[in-house]
Amino acid sequence: MGTNAQKKSATNRTRRAIVNILKQQGATDAQELASHLSISAMAVRQHLYALQAEQLVTYYEEAREMGRPAKLWQLTPAADRLFPDGYADLTLSLLDSVKEAFGEAGLEQLLDVRTRHQLEAYQSAIPAQTSLGQKLEALASLRTEEGYMAEIQTLDEGTFLLIENHCPICAAATACTGLCARELEIFQRILLDAVVERTEHIIAGERRCVYRVSRQD
């Protein structure tokens, strides 16, 4: 590979890494991005301005106690195309076809089948005789493989956050809210010894989906 091609490849990798960090963390300043990537803040800003020219990122200013306001960079809706979309157009078309052919009852039956298959797949992959934290880590790994960019945060003893930074079925879930309801049901059935509550929701306009998981007393 020639020198120019190597530089282009390195540039693309760095910009993709920036996009991934912004997807996972939300609005972030150049200095923090630089610390993640082990490059200078000036180099990060050059990449950010290039991504801004492609309309993939934007920023807003946040006042700081000392010095000038900080620019906090975040992804634009146009950046969604860089992440898995779960074949949105095909899924929407199929949902509309099922509803037209079989009505709401048929759609509910389809969701029942999908829920059963998904539950069986998770149950076979997540050992029942493990701690709540271990179950959540296994669930997050499965969800990440499906495109949800999932991670676990521990709040305190027995309380966790399951965070999904991306929704690969967002378009379908917007058109069919039953998909989101069924996912919450699946999590609760997988985590029988816990209470699961959705606290943030992409469909409601928030950046990510977050589930608060607490061990039952």
Side-chain angles (χ1 to χ4, degrees):
M1 183 183 294
T3 302
N4 290 338
Q6 289 177 332
K7 287 182 178 179
K8 184 176 181 180
S9 178
T11 295
N12 289 338
R13 287 197 303 271
T14 300
R15 291 178 185 172
R16 181 68 205 203
I18 289 172
V19 168
N20 285 341
I21 293 169
L22 293 177
K23 184 68 171 176
Q24 293 176 301
Q25 295 192 181
T28 307
D29 64 26
Q31 193 64 52
E32 185 174 352
L33 288 168
S35 67
H36 280 288
L37 299 169
S38 299
I39 60 177
S40 70
M42 181 177 296
V44 167
R45 291 188 186 95
Q46 291 176 345
H47 289 300
L48 286 168
Y49 290 132
L51 290 168
Q52 184 184 35
E54 296 180 49
Q55 299 183 329
L56 297 175
V57 301
T58 186
Y59 70 85
Y60 63 90
E61 293 189 341
E62 180 181 77
R64 297 289 167 91
E65 290 185 3
M66 298 182 61
R68 301 167 57 185
K71 289 181 178 178
L72 295 183
W73 293 87
Q74 60 188 4
L75 299 180
T76 66
D80 286 345
R81 64 178 171 81
L82 301 177
F83 300 91
D85 66 0
Y87 304 100
D89 291 340
L90 175 60
T91 303
L92 288 174
S93 176
L94 289 172
L95 287 173
D96 288 340
S97 297
V98 169
K99 192 181 298 185
E100 181 179 345
F102 305 107
E104 291 292 341
L107 184 57
E108 284 298 312
Q109 188 173 0
L110 176 66
L111 292 177
D112 285 342
V113 173
R114 178 183 183 273
T115 298
R116 186 177 72 249
H117 289 172
Q118 196 169 13
L119 185 60
E120 290 172 353
Y122 289 171
Q123 287 174 331
S124 66
I126 301 174
Q129 304 304 317
T130 55
S131 69
L132 178 58
Q134 290 171 322
K135 287 179 181 177
L136 281 167
E137 290 292 348
L139 179 59
S141 178
L142 291 170
R143 299 289 285 180
T144 294
E145 289 177 5
E146 294 172 7
Y148 288 88
M149 298 180 69
E151 59 183 301
I152 302 299
Q153 288 185 8
T154 302
L155 296 184
D156 52 45
E157 185 66 27
T159 304
F160 306 85
L161 294 181
L162 168 60
I163 300 169
E164 296 185 338
N165 294 292
H166 181 62
C167 179
I169 61 166
C170 189
T174 301
C176 178
T177 55
L179 284 168
C180 289
R182 296 305 180 94
E183 293 201 331
L184 185 58
E185 174 188 337
I186 288 170
F187 294 162
Q188 186 64 75
R189 293 176 65 180
I190 290 291
L191 307 168
L192 289 173
D193 53 348
V195 176
V196 184
E197 175 191 9
R198 184 187 287 119
T199 58
E200 296 180 39
H201 199 187
I202 291 174
I203 301 302
E206 293 172 290
R207 183 181 66 82
R208 59 190 188 173
C209 287
V210 178
Y211 301 84
R212 182 185 178 92
V213 183
S214 304
R215 185 177 291 114
Q216 290 181 340
D217 296 330

